[in-house]
Amino acid sequence: VQQADFTLFGFLEDLAAKVKVNDRIEYMKPISDSSGSAREAVEVRIRSVFQDDLVSLLYDIEHSPHALKIKRLNVRRVDRDGTLDVTFQVVHHG
């Protein structure tokens, strides 16, 4: 992927499809950055995700060739089936 046509949204959507959690995404929303710096941020909420899938997703974000960082990771176990509800922010320093 060329840096010029990289979008954080597109990257996260492709990654979610690869890890097969795209059907569990509750929302993905941009976070406005008031500092005016050249960075892009997206908050992601995924419901009922299995721990292995979450680990794969987070690993792939942290080890991507793009300058990505995960912030504010919030994980909550769903008692009924042992899956997790997770909310996190991904920041791209462009």
Side-chain angles (χ1 to χ4, degrees):
V1 179
Q2 300 287 319
Q3 194 68 26
D5 56 346
F6 172 81
T7 67
L8 186 53
F9 257 83
F11 174 80
L12 292 172
E13 286 176 337
D14 292 347
L15 197 55
K18 187 185 112 181
V19 181
K20 297 182 173 56
V21 296
N22 48 337
D23 60 328
R24 298 176 183 272
I25 293 175
E26 202 164 288
Y27 65 75
M28 278 176 45
K29 63 182 179 188
I31 301 165
S32 57
D33 183 8
S34 56
S35 71
S37 66
R39 55 180 211 182
E40 189 182 4
V42 173
E43 183 170 286
V44 182
R45 167 111 171 118
I46 306 175
R47 60 184 151 58
S48 302
V49 65
F50 290 103
Q51 183 175 323
D52 290 351
D53 294 337
L54 176 60
V55 169
S56 292
L57 189 66
L58 297 177
Y59 180 90
D60 288 350
I61 291 169
E62 284 282 321
H63 292 87
S64 84
H66 311 286
L68 303 182
K69 194 160 206 61
I70 295 169
K71 289 175 54 175
R72 296 198 183 132
L73 176 64
N74 184 334
V75 180
R76 193 171 56 83
R77 183 167 296 285
V78 180
D79 286 334
R80 63 184 176 276
D81 58 5
T83 59
L84 306 167
D85 285 350
V86 61
T87 307
F88 58 92
Q89 293 177 1
V90 180
V91 180
H92 175 239
H93 297 276

